[in-house]
Every structure is written in C-alpha cells, then in structure tokens.
Amino acid sequence: MTTSPSTTAPVFRNHQHFLEEFPKTGPDTLAGKMLRHYWHPVCLSADLRDVPYPVRMLGEDLVAFRGLDGKVGLVDQRCAHRCASLVYGQITKDGLKCSYHGWTFDSRGRCTDMPLEPLNSPAMQRVKQVWYPTQEWAGIVWTYMGEEKDTPPPLPKLDILTRTDGEIVIERGDIRPYNYLNFIENFADMGHIYVMHMLEPGKVPLELEPYVNHTVDTNWRTMEHRTFETDFGMKCVLVHNTADANLKYVNSWSIVPPGVYRFGGIHAGLPPDFTNDRRESGGILRIIDDTHFEMFRFQLIRPGNFRTTYYPVPTDKTRGVAKGMQGTVEKKDYDTRKYPAWEGLPQVEDYVLQESQGGIPPRHREHLATSDIGIALLRRLWRRGMEAVAEGSKPKLPKTDDHGIVHVDTFKGLAHPDEIKLSPENMPSSEDGRGLIRDEHGELIFGKS
Amino acid sequence: MTTSPSTTAPVFRNHQHFLEEFPKTGPDTLAGKMLRHYWHPVCLSADLRDVPYPVRMLGEDLVAFRGLDGKVGLVDQRCAHRCASLVYGQITKDGLKCSYHGWTFDSRGRCTDMPLEPLNSPAMQRVKQVWYPTQEWAGIVWTYMGEEKDTPPPLPKLDILTRTDGEIVIERGDIRPYNYLNFIENFADMGHIYVMHMLEPGKVPLELEPYVNHTVDTNWRTMEHRTFETDFGMKCVLVHNTADANLKYVNSWSIVPPGVYRFGGIHAGLPPDFTNDRRESGGILRIIDDTHFEMFRFQLIRPGNFRTTYYPVPTDKTRGVAKGMQGTVEKKDYDTRKYPAWEGLPQVEDYVLQESQGGIPPRHREHLATSDIGIALLRRLWRRGMEAVAEGSKPKLPKTDDHGIVHVDTFKGLAHPDEIKLSPENMPSSEDGRGLIRDEHGELIFGKS
Amino acid sequence: MTTSPSTTAPVFRNHQHFLEEFPKTGPDTLAGKMLRHYWHPVCLSADLRDVPYPVRMLGEDLVAFRGLDGKVGLVDQRCAHRCASLVYGQITKDGLKCSYHGWTFDSRGRCTDMPLEPLNSPAMQRVKQVWYPTQEWAGIVWTYMGEEKDTPPPLPKLDILTRTDGEIVIERGDIRPYNYLNFIENFADMGHIYVMHMLEPGKVPLELEPYVNHTVDTNWRTMEHRTFETDFGMKCVLVHNTADANLKYVNSWSIVPPGVYRFGGIHAGLPPDFTNDRRESGGILRIIDDTHFEMFRFQLIRPGNFRTTYYPVPTDKTRGVAKGMQGTVEKKDYDTRKYPAWEGLPQVEDYVLQESQGGIPPRHREHLATSDIGIALLRRLWRRGMEAVAEGSKPKLPKTDDHGIVHVDTFKGLAHPDEIKLSPENMPSSEDGRGLIRDEHGELIFGKS
C-alpha cells in the first residue's frame, strides 16, 4: 500500500489501456513485473543433462544447466564478457564456462574463473552474470524471476503433483505461437465447450457407453453458470440438470494464476460422466514471450482409469503445430484454410481457435456478453494484480496449507442440491478429483466422507 | 464539388507526395478510399462451396461464404465477439456461425444467433460484423467496399464477359508479390513490347506462318504512339507502317480503372496478325494489399481460334511463383539470379521485370521520358480520382450503356488511314475484337459493317 | 585537417555512441563512409561470364557484369528509368541494357542507348546510373565506392597474392549472417585460441607428430601478449616459452583494415609447429551489409605442404550455414541447441561463437578485460578513422612499397630472444610466412638471411 493512493494518477487511463498492457510479459512492462512475482516452470529435471539447455522465459533469453555438483543454474544466455552465447558453454565444476574466453559463472551469476586474466583479477568480483534462482520439485525445474530473487517466496506446490494414489504423467514440448492469455482465457470460458467442442463430438468408446449418463441436460440455457474468486485463484462452475430433479451434474474448472489450469478428469471436457475415467488433469504454461508459450500437461492416472485416453504419442502428430492439422472431419481438396478439417478433437479445436484470435488479439474490437463472466473475472484479477504492482505491493499469491500445498477445486460429478457449494470454497471430494460419484440410481459410490 | 475549393490546401504537397500515396490500398489511405468506389472481384462463384473461403481484399482480411440459401456473404474474418477467426466458422441457414461461441452473422453483418446468451438478448441488435455487399455475375463474385455499401452503384459489366459468340475461359490463382500498379503501369506502357518481348520471341507455330504479315514495321521510331482518356478509362494506341503506304497496322491496349486490362486477342502481344487467332484477351486484378494481387484472366475463344495458345496448364509451372521460373533461354549453372533463364515467354518476362521493380517501386528515383506517355496519363487519372475523393466527390466511373455494359476499345488489325480513329472513340469492329481484318492483298475479311 | 577542430563538437558523444556507430556499413553512416575509403572485393574474375552478377556491397544492391569488350562494370541494380532490375539486363557492346525498355549503361554509368526515345534524345545526357570503378587483380574484382570514385587511390596489393613460390588458392562463397566486425574482432583476439580452440583439439595427423614441439608452453599466463599499430594496420603477437630458455615460440596475427586478416600458415591456428605445414593463410571479407559478409579465403601452398589440410570441399558441408553443423564431438539426441556437437574444428568454433554474439552484438553489455587489448586497439583504429572522416579527412590507408604491395607481418615460429622484434616492424622472414624455422635442436632451417 502506498501512503497516499488518493493523489496518485490511476494506473490505467481506461479499460482499453489495461487491455493493451494485460498480455505483455517483458521485464519492462507492468504485466511482466506482475508475472515475475510468481514461480514459473522452466523445463523438466530430466531435460538437464550434460549440455546447456537454451530457454526463453518471459521474453528473456536464458540458459539452464545442471552443474557437475547436480545443482541447477539459470543465467542470461549472453556472456557478460563479449556477448557470446553461454548456450555453447561448457559445464564445469565451477558452473557454466563460456567457450569463447572461459569466463565461468555459478548458479548465482558469480564469476568463478577468468582463465585469460591474471589470477585473482579484480574483474572477477566486478562482473556479475544475470541469474535467477531455481528449485526442482515434482520432476520440474522452477524459477523465480522477480526483484526479490535473493529471498524468493516459497514455491507453491500443486496438490495434484503431490498425490501418491496413481501415476503422475507430465508431458511438455507443445509450443504455441500465441499469447498465453489466449489459452488461459479459453479456460475461464466454459461456454465454448457447449458450442465448439460439440461440433463433431468424438464417439464414446463402446466400452464406456454403459457409464454415460444420457440424462444430463447439455442445453446451456438451462445450466447455472457461476464464477468465483478463490484463495488459489479463480474457478468457473456449471450446474447441469438431470432427469432426476434431485440430482445435479456439477463441473468446475479452476485457474491458479498466472499459468496453472485444472479440471476434473475427463477425456473430452464434456459430460457424460465416465465413472472409471476419473483421471485428474491440468497443466501449467511456460510463458516464453508475448506470443509464445509451452504447455506442461499433467495427469494423475489411477487404477481403473483408461490408459488409452491420456494424450498418446500419435496425438502429437494430429495436434498443434503442423499445417494440415486434422480432426475427425474429412479434408476437402478445395478447403484453402490453414487448418482444413480441424473439427473433432477438443485439443485441436482449442488450438485452432486460440491461434486464430491472433498472436495478441486486438481486444479493443471485442464485444463481451453475459456468458463471458469467466473472462471478466480473470481480467479483474489480473488488473488488480497489475495495479498492486504499480503501487509497489504484490499481486495476490495462491494460498497454501502448512505443507506449502495449493488445494484446487476440481469437482466434477453428480450431487444432490444440498451438497453443492456455489461459493469460493472447494467442493467435498474435490481433492481426489472424483466429485461425488453416483451410479445410475443415485447411489453414492465415491466421495463418502 | 466542394463549395470553396480555392481555399483548400492542395491534396498533394508535390508530385513526390502523390507518387508515395498512389500505390496504397488500405482503408485509411486516400488511394485506398478511391479504390473503394469501384467493384472488385473476390473469387469465382465456383470457389464458394461448403467451407468458408478466406480472402484478403485491399488490405482487409475477410471471409467469403455461400450460405445454405445460396446467397454469398463477405464479412470481416475476425468475429466481433472475441476476435476468433470466422474462417473456421460453420455455414448455417442463418449465415456464418463462429465455431468458438456460435455467434452467427448473415451476409449483411447482422447477428442472427448467440446461443450462449439469453434468448432475444439485446446484444444481438448491438453487435454488427463488418460486411460488404456482393454480387455474382459472369461466374465471378464481386464486392463493393466503399462507404456507400448499403446502396452501391451498379456493377459495370465488361463487354467481353457478356459475349456469346465463343467460349469464355476464366482463370485465377496467379498471386503476385508486388503492387498491382506495377502490372497496370506495365499495361499502359506499349514500348516495353518492342524491347522486352522481342528479346527472344517465341517462334510462330508453323501452321500460323501463312497468316503472318512480315511487312509490318516493328521499328518503334517509325510508329505513331498515342494515348487517350476514354469514357471507360484509357487506351494506348500504336499505328505501324506496312509495306503498303495505304495500309496501317493498329494495336490498342485499354485499361478500365482500377484493375481491368484488355487487348486484342493474340498470343504474344506482338504483331504479326494471325487471322485465325483473334481471341479476345484481358483480365482483372484482385487487389490483395499494397504488395500482392491476384490475376483473373479471361479469354473469348471463338470457332477457328487456336485452342492450344490460351494459357495452358503446363504454363502454370513455368510461370509465376517458383524460383527457377524458366523461359526459352537455357539455364546456365553459374547464373546466380533469382530467375535464371527467364527470357522467352511474355508472361514470364512481365512477371520478372514487374517484380524486380520492388513490392512498391521507389518512384522518386525514376526518370520518365517521351515513351512513357501511357504511364503519365494513367497517373493523371489516378491523381484526379484521388483528388476528387479528397474533396468529397467520386472518381470517374466507367461509362456503361443501357444494359450496364462497358465497351472497351481493343482494335487490333490492318486499316486504311481514313478508317483509323485516333481519338477517345472506339474503333469500328472493336466490339468483336477482330479489328478490320484484311488478307494479304488488303481485302477486307472481317469488320464490314 | 579542418582549420578549427578545437571548436568542433566531438564526433562521438561518448564511447557508447561510438560502439553503436562502429559496426554500421551503409552509405549514410559514418562508419560506412569510412569503409568507402578502401577498396573492397566484389567477386572472382571467373564469376563474371555472360549473365549479370547481382551483388550487395556495404548495404547497396549492385550488379556486376563483364561487357563484351571484357571490361567489368558495377552499377546500381535499379535502372534509373523505372526501377526495374538490371540483374535481368542484357550484356551488349555498349554496356548493360535494361531488358524492360532498353536503356543501356556503360561501366561509368553513362547512358549509351534509349531505343524507345528519339535519336540523340537529351535524356541520354541527363540520366546517369549509379556506378563504381572496378579493378581486376589477382583473380579478384575489386571496387572503390568512395566519393573520389573518379580518381580512386591505387588498389593496395596484398603481398601473399603476389607470391610465385607456390600455388595460390582462393575460395569464396561462405556467407555469414552477422556483422563483419564479429569476425575481425575475433581475429584481433588471440586469447580465444587458448580457450575455445583447445576445447577438443583435433588430433594431429600421425605423420605430423614427429614435427610437433611438445615443449612449447601453451599456458596463457606465462606468455607475453602484445599488440601493435603497424603501417599496414595492426598486429597481435604472442611469445611462448619453450623448454629451452633461449628459444621462444612467436605467433603473429595481422589485420589490414577493414577486412583483411593474415596469419602464419597452420591448419588450426595453434601450436605446435608443423615444419612441413607452412602454408600462408588469410582472407578478406566482402562486407555485404550490417549483418552479412562473405569470406574470400586465400592460401599459398608450397612444395612440401600438406595439401589435404587446406579447406577441402567436404568441409563446406560441416562448416557454416546448416543447422546441425558438426564438429568432432558426438551429437546427442537431447541436445536442443541450434548447433549441437559444434566443438572440434576451429572454423566451426569461430563461426558458432561469432554468430552467437548476435547480428550486431549489444556491445553496451560487454565487460572488456586485460586480455582484450587486441579488441581495444582495433576499436581505437576504427574510431580514429571515423573521426578523421567526420572531420573531412581520410582514415589511415595501408602503406605500400614502390610496387604498390602491402607487406604484412605473419611471423610464426621459434626465435632466440635477441631476434624477436616486439615492435610495429615486421619480423625477419615474415615475408615468406615461415618464421625462423628451427629443428628440434634449435638449428635454423629457414629464415637465414
């Protein structure tokens, strides 16, 4: 808090000014400064072997490396000496050595060797390489790029990655050529599920058909659609009617700012409700720069889950980068679009439409409406965070428990009206991602406390 | 006319200022505003099937579609809701539906559905998608992108496309990476024929040799070279001497601003005069943006014309886009130019030299001379049109007859001196493109009224 | 000299300002003006055959051609008439004829033909094409692009190219995507040899092993490292100790500004000293623009030299342009860098690190130290030259002898302390590039005067 906020000029001249600043990521931008109050994923621990690993983070070109002592460093790619790239450096016992003239930097940017200078040259004290602290947890290398990098806040631990009741699968490498907020806004937007992802819904595998509840009402206008700011960030909730007036189908989607998304484990993001397919799903975005991000997807697969439905290797070919990305619609030879025949797979659908909004969408041309309440809440959170940073304080960080764990609401399932909490509070059984699972007769199968 | 033009600052500070503004096409430029007073081709009617058709016009990214009712729409690519691309929209009975959230727009940009909003949401009245009127005629979809789009002027009908005495062949798809005026100026410039297209003239097919009049004098300095502003636009005329002092060879090339070009039907643009090869030829440019345009070529092929000489499929491989475009000169392996061995085919020659002038040529470095009178007239017409628009009136539109048809002078052939009209008026028999055809004895074959 | 330099504002506001201007090459920049006081290589004489040869020089797009009379011309690519490219011109007896309208320019930019204009049109006198004088010498076409192009200074002849005691091999075609000073500064920087080029030193071929002097001390901190401004430009010298206190190993690297580099003939730039591998080496850079240059390498190969070690054709595949450039280190499939496994070949090492500094390195981020004295001298020379040009005089040009030959110090070899000249003067026997060659017993083999 500043002492005299009333005399300060407003952070944003108007909403349009906020919308322009909102998607920026660089160190000299207000949004970029806000992003630097959070921990970000860099790569998998397994990615760091015996060669330097180039990585662009929030618009900064960095290089990660694992020293011979096993410690992870993350420093500016450009050597402080004569601008050569440390991407071509050598990993030594002292840190990362520039191959050009041998200047060596440890994981805190201190120069530990200048082989062409006199021993104990004062230049070694004078020269510092830009560096950022790192932490390895859950198989991921994380970094904190904020001003308080010498004493960063603790890394918040995502609940799903602490789970031991199944196999955690982390996938990375899907790099997308547009701003990360195109993706995050898509996640705060439950309505698109009922338009886009129902265009050409993939068939339910035959063996799942018995578990489908065909009485869930998928008509948007009959659902209750709510959004909540929560202590972890925000969530969007839909409550569907079913044939049984005493049984509702609840679906929650959650965001831990700036880059974590979580949802109940389903393979298509849609009802129906596959009792045996209760995989926990979600991911975290590595923000590369204003117009690129990388996805780190994670899933918890428990005994009984259908293994075939988590993102399989063949999906990589049909998803994402390549021109001619193909869904389940047959390609026509007169289809001149960049992505012909794109409909059918939700991941492909999201990719194509998010990319189509533009590297940074021209938001001044938007017309939001009532179904955009998730988008609106998300922007309020970002705006409040940016304003806090502009005034010298911090954005809201996710609340953790005594073990440093963030608990995220991901309830998805059937519930009786009196069991439903339409509030910032997590729904019961949310922590195992299964919701209150009932069979077709309304009998509680999972979620009994 | 403005009421007080005398007190207005001049539209152009100087000729250099005009030359800079001259090639622009965008909606915020003076030249772009002028271009928006004309109808432009969008695509062939046959291009619009059951998927949206992305099309960039005058610097604007649009999408064309044929609704289920058969009507053609042309709207902004970016959905007014949240900037997603309507290129990935779905064609419905109500128009084009954005796949992201289902907002649907008809061919006049009116929103006909918002499936995630309450029924009869006032947002449906408030939101308008940018749209342009279209008209289908002669197998082509045309649009009018001017301010008067609600009540556009009638589409001027090109005479050649109304003809019924032969087969009209329309070809499109040759997209060129430079400003459309490089092409149109080339067309107003008859002199280049006698230098560039005579570099390595294609051999006359043996069966045409009997029809060649070898007495036509192709020495530029002996020809009469005239240009005329006409009621359809402008034309350039050359009068060649022949061995017979009482017989001239007349060649007219015409332009209907901004993008139609017409010439007498010949396969190489050169004398000699092939009696049986009187195909009518020409085309219209689709102006994509400042540095791209697409060619829509058309020809009228009548009984007796040599079918082999209209642009055949194999020509597409040797023409246009690809590096290594090849004419009739043998490629040398030490030829390091972008287009080696380019000489020999007039279309290739025009392409290579027009592209070589630059995306937008630096016209301030030009030195025009007496043979550039066609260029000079063309620029006067454009300048006058731009000045009219700057002053709130309209550029000159092509004159049409009672049936809305534009008659364009394309006389090419032998004529007695007293038959030649060196004036804005069309030459006799110009309407069938054959000129006054005479045999080698000067006897009139065609063109008798 | 200007008359009142004391009242003039300084040419550079500060060192940072100089560093920004230093790498520029264009005609409107101070550094570019300085570069235009020197002769530059254009292409090999053999490159000019019967088609025009496009060439970009110091940011200017030019075309070289050999007229039918054998004389070489170098003119602006853009025809003065209507901006068409003379790259597609025709070589005639009068010069280079634009294919578009036939305007023809001789090697001094004079218009010799305008076939579409009246005979003796005054336009022919009025129009001049930009041209530069050329000179062919030593199999290379050279040009002078300075203001005094009508009376250019004599072309300085590099001593190595005048030699007759071996075969001179000139190679060109290695075009690099970064500023030429990345390369030249690398050459003024002897220290990098002892770090980078010793990372994974290539094995000495077995047959050379007997000639290696393993007693040469390659520890940088025990060497004497000196730099000298010379009458040809500058040189950097290292004096190594050997096991014999009375025998030193001397290595000189020389630069003739702006683009000539010279060193004693060795295949890797390192000790040891291969008695039989005394090839003379070096090269000259063709400066294309701010971020591109082409290398013209030359070597003098004398009887007894190992032919296999000059740049062989297969090297072209492993060097330079292609991603996946490979040295002697085995490529790992998890190596995500642009150039994986790059270590091992000095040429590849230099390429990779120079490119990694950036198209134009952000020199304001540098921290120079004591081992950078070569860099510092080089920049002083460039700065002094740029200041001279700013004040209306000339930069220092290389001194030549009575035959116009530049003698460059390239001494490399063993010498007794009293024979060593650590001064701007050339070392004895430098002119044959062999240094004072001694056998393992210190007996003089070459270099006896």
mmCIF file of all heavy atoms in Angstrom, chain A residues 8-24:
data_model
loop_
_atom_site.group_PDB
_atom_site.id
_atom_site.type_symbol
_atom_site.label_atom_id
_atom_site.label_comp_id
_atom_site.label_asym_id
_atom_site.label_seq_id
_atom_site.Cartn_x
_atom_site.Cartn_y
_atom_site.Cartn_z
ATOM 1 N N THR A 8 -2.441 9.621 -6.317
ATOM 2 C CA THR A 8 -1.726 9.030 -7.441
ATOM 3 C C THR A 8 -2.622 9.010 -8.678
ATOM 4 O O THR A 8 -3.824 8.805 -8.573
ATOM 5 C CB THR A 8 -1.341 7.570 -7.096
ATOM 6 O OG1 THR A 8 -1.071 7.488 -5.702
ATOM 7 C CG2 THR A 8 -0.146 7.134 -7.895
ATOM 8 N N ALA A 9 -1.980 9.183 -9.825
ATOM 9 C CA ALA A 9 -2.717 9.039 -11.082
ATOM 10 C C ALA A 9 -3.142 7.586 -11.192
ATOM 11 O O ALA A 9 -2.454 6.685 -10.707
ATOM 12 C CB ALA A 9 -1.817 9.421 -12.249
ATOM 13 N N PRO A 10 -4.262 7.290 -11.838
ATOM 14 C CA PRO A 10 -4.680 5.895 -11.968
ATOM 15 C C PRO A 10 -3.658 5.123 -12.794
ATOM 16 O O PRO A 10 -3.000 5.680 -13.672
ATOM 17 C CB PRO A 10 -6.020 5.993 -12.697
ATOM 18 C CG PRO A 10 -6.033 7.329 -13.346
ATOM 19 C CD PRO A 10 -5.179 8.219 -12.488
ATOM 20 N N VAL A 11 -3.528 3.840 -12.480
ATOM 21 C CA VAL A 11 -2.558 3.002 -13.182
ATOM 22 C C VAL A 11 -2.914 2.902 -14.659
ATOM 23 O O VAL A 11 -2.057 2.965 -15.531
ATOM 24 C CB VAL A 11 -2.506 1.609 -12.524
ATOM 25 C CG1 VAL A 11 -1.617 0.673 -13.326
ATOM 26 C CG2 VAL A 11 -2.028 1.726 -11.087
ATOM 27 N N PHE A 12 -4.185 2.764 -14.942
ATOM 28 C CA PHE A 12 -4.632 2.665 -16.331
ATOM 29 C C PHE A 12 -5.514 3.856 -16.676
ATOM 30 O O PHE A 12 -6.441 4.181 -15.928
ATOM 31 C CB PHE A 12 -5.402 1.359 -16.537
ATOM 32 C CG PHE A 12 -4.583 0.149 -16.222
ATOM 33 C CD1 PHE A 12 -4.840 -0.610 -15.094
ATOM 34 C CD2 PHE A 12 -3.522 -0.211 -17.040
ATOM 35 C CE1 PHE A 12 -4.078 -1.728 -14.791
ATOM 36 C CE2 PHE A 12 -2.741 -1.328 -16.739
ATOM 37 C CZ PHE A 12 -3.018 -2.083 -15.603
ATOM 38 N N ARG A 13 -5.227 4.462 -17.801
ATOM 39 C CA ARG A 13 -6.024 5.603 -18.243
ATOM 40 C C ARG A 13 -7.481 5.186 -18.447
ATOM 41 O O ARG A 13 -8.390 5.945 -18.169
ATOM 42 C CB ARG A 13 -5.483 6.144 -19.562
ATOM 43 C CG ARG A 13 -4.119 6.792 -19.460
ATOM 44 C CD ARG A 13 -3.736 7.441 -20.782
ATOM 45 N NE ARG A 13 -3.720 6.472 -21.881
ATOM 46 C CZ ARG A 13 -2.668 5.686 -22.158
ATOM 47 N NH1 ARG A 13 -1.574 5.738 -21.417
ATOM 48 N NH2 ARG A 13 -2.713 4.840 -23.157
ATOM 49 N N ASN A 14 -7.660 3.968 -18.952
ATOM 50 C CA ASN A 14 -9.013 3.469 -19.194
ATOM 51 C C ASN A 14 -8.925 1.964 -19.417
ATOM 52 O O ASN A 14 -7.820 1.383 -19.382
ATOM 53 C CB ASN A 14 -9.642 4.181 -20.409
ATOM 54 C CG ASN A 14 -8.680 4.181 -21.593
ATOM 55 O OD1 ASN A 14 -7.994 3.188 -21.829
ATOM 56 N ND2 ASN A 14 -8.612 5.278 -22.308
ATOM 57 N N HIS A 15 -10.072 1.343 -19.663
ATOM 58 C CA HIS A 15 -10.066 -0.110 -19.800
ATOM 59 C C HIS A 15 -9.245 -0.536 -21.018
ATOM 60 O O HIS A 15 -8.549 -1.558 -20.991
ATOM 61 C CB HIS A 15 -11.505 -0.612 -19.914
ATOM 62 C CG HIS A 15 -11.596 -2.110 -19.847
ATOM 63 N ND1 HIS A 15 -11.134 -2.844 -18.764
ATOM 64 C CD2 HIS A 15 -12.061 -3.026 -20.733
ATOM 65 C CE1 HIS A 15 -11.333 -4.138 -18.986
ATOM 66 N NE2 HIS A 15 -11.890 -4.270 -20.172
ATOM 67 N N GLN A 16 -9.325 0.251 -22.054
ATOM 68 C CA GLN A 16 -8.560 -0.062 -23.265
ATOM 69 C C GLN A 16 -7.053 -0.089 -22.958
ATOM 70 O O GLN A 16 -6.319 -0.953 -23.439
ATOM 71 C CB GLN A 16 -8.891 0.981 -24.348
ATOM 72 C CG GLN A 16 -8.004 0.954 -25.571
ATOM 73 C CD GLN A 16 -8.026 -0.402 -26.270
ATOM 74 O OE1 GLN A 16 -8.949 -1.187 -26.094
ATOM 75 N NE2 GLN A 16 -6.987 -0.676 -27.017
ATOM 76 N N HIS A 17 -6.608 0.845 -22.149
ATOM 77 C CA HIS A 17 -5.193 0.878 -21.764
ATOM 78 C C HIS A 17 -4.833 -0.397 -21.006
ATOM 79 O O HIS A 17 -3.792 -1.011 -21.256
ATOM 80 C CB HIS A 17 -4.923 2.133 -20.906
ATOM 81 C CG HIS A 17 -3.491 2.285 -20.509
ATOM 82 N ND1 HIS A 17 -3.089 2.972 -19.396
ATOM 83 C CD2 HIS A 17 -2.359 1.822 -21.079
ATOM 84 C CE1 HIS A 17 -1.782 2.931 -19.290
ATOM 85 N NE2 HIS A 17 -1.305 2.249 -20.297
ATOM 86 N N PHE A 18 -5.701 -0.807 -20.087
ATOM 87 C CA PHE A 18 -5.453 -2.074 -19.385
ATOM 88 C C PHE A 18 -5.368 -3.233 -20.374
ATOM 89 O O PHE A 18 -4.461 -4.065 -20.316
ATOM 90 C CB PHE A 18 -6.549 -2.347 -18.341
ATOM 91 C CG PHE A 18 -6.620 -3.790 -17.947
ATOM 92 C CD1 PHE A 18 -5.617 -4.354 -17.171
ATOM 93 C CD2 PHE A 18 -7.662 -4.602 -18.387
ATOM 94 C CE1 PHE A 18 -5.649 -5.710 -16.843
ATOM 95 C CE2 PHE A 18 -7.695 -5.957 -18.061
ATOM 96 C CZ PHE A 18 -6.689 -6.505 -17.281
ATOM 97 N N LEU A 19 -6.316 -3.290 -21.313
ATOM 98 C CA LEU A 19 -6.331 -4.417 -22.255
ATOM 99 C C LEU A 19 -5.053 -4.472 -23.091
ATOM 100 O O LEU A 19 -4.583 -5.550 -23.456
ATOM 101 C CB LEU A 19 -7.559 -4.333 -23.171
ATOM 102 C CG LEU A 19 -8.902 -4.632 -22.502
ATOM 103 C CD1 LEU A 19 -10.046 -4.464 -23.499
ATOM 104 C CD2 LEU A 19 -8.933 -6.045 -21.908
ATOM 105 N N GLU A 20 -4.490 -3.316 -23.364
ATOM 106 C CA GLU A 20 -3.223 -3.300 -24.116
ATOM 107 C C GLU A 20 -2.065 -3.836 -23.278
ATOM 108 O O GLU A 20 -1.180 -4.533 -23.786
ATOM 109 C CB GLU A 20 -2.875 -1.871 -24.551
ATOM 110 C CG GLU A 20 -3.638 -1.408 -25.770
ATOM 111 C CD GLU A 20 -3.501 0.092 -25.976
ATOM 112 O OE1 GLU A 20 -2.600 0.705 -25.345
ATOM 113 O OE2 GLU A 20 -4.312 0.661 -26.717
ATOM 114 N N GLU A 21 -2.048 -3.483 -22.003
ATOM 115 C CA GLU A 21 -0.928 -3.876 -21.137
ATOM 116 C C GLU A 21 -1.041 -5.317 -20.643
ATOM 117 O O GLU A 21 -0.034 -5.975 -20.351
ATOM 118 C CB GLU A 21 -0.869 -2.931 -19.920
ATOM 119 C CG GLU A 21 -0.525 -1.489 -20.288
ATOM 120 C CD GLU A 21 0.829 -1.393 -20.963
ATOM 121 O OE1 GLU A 21 1.778 -2.030 -20.469
ATOM 122 O OE2 GLU A 21 0.933 -0.687 -21.989
ATOM 123 N N PHE A 22 -2.274 -5.773 -20.530
ATOM 124 C CA PHE A 22 -2.647 -7.064 -19.967
ATOM 125 C C PHE A 22 -1.816 -8.253 -20.484
ATOM 126 O O PHE A 22 -1.293 -9.043 -19.686
ATOM 127 C CB PHE A 22 -4.150 -7.200 -20.287
ATOM 128 C CG PHE A 22 -4.843 -8.467 -19.997
ATOM 129 C CD1 PHE A 22 -4.751 -9.075 -18.753
ATOM 130 C CD2 PHE A 22 -5.675 -9.031 -20.970
ATOM 131 C CE1 PHE A 22 -5.469 -10.243 -18.499
ATOM 132 C CE2 PHE A 22 -6.380 -10.185 -20.719
ATOM 133 C CZ PHE A 22 -6.275 -10.798 -19.480
ATOM 134 N N PRO A 23 -1.621 -8.409 -21.810
ATOM 135 C CA PRO A 23 -0.952 -9.628 -22.268
ATOM 136 C C PRO A 23 0.572 -9.553 -22.317
ATOM 137 O O PRO A 23 1.209 -10.507 -22.733
ATOM 138 C CB PRO A 23 -1.512 -9.806 -23.689
ATOM 139 C CG PRO A 23 -1.892 -8.443 -24.133
ATOM 140 C CD PRO A 23 -2.159 -7.608 -22.924
ATOM 141 N N LYS A 24 1.159 -8.439 -21.902
ATOM 142 C CA LYS A 24 2.611 -8.291 -22.042
ATOM 143 C C LYS A 24 3.363 -9.148 -21.030
ATOM 144 O O LYS A 24 2.832 -9.492 -19.972
ATOM 145 C CB LYS A 24 2.998 -6.822 -21.928
ATOM 146 C CG LYS A 24 2.421 -5.984 -23.076
ATOM 147 C CD LYS A 24 2.847 -4.535 -23.010
ATOM 148 C CE LYS A 24 2.244 -3.755 -24.193
ATOM 149 N NZ LYS A 24 2.506 -2.305 -24.050
#
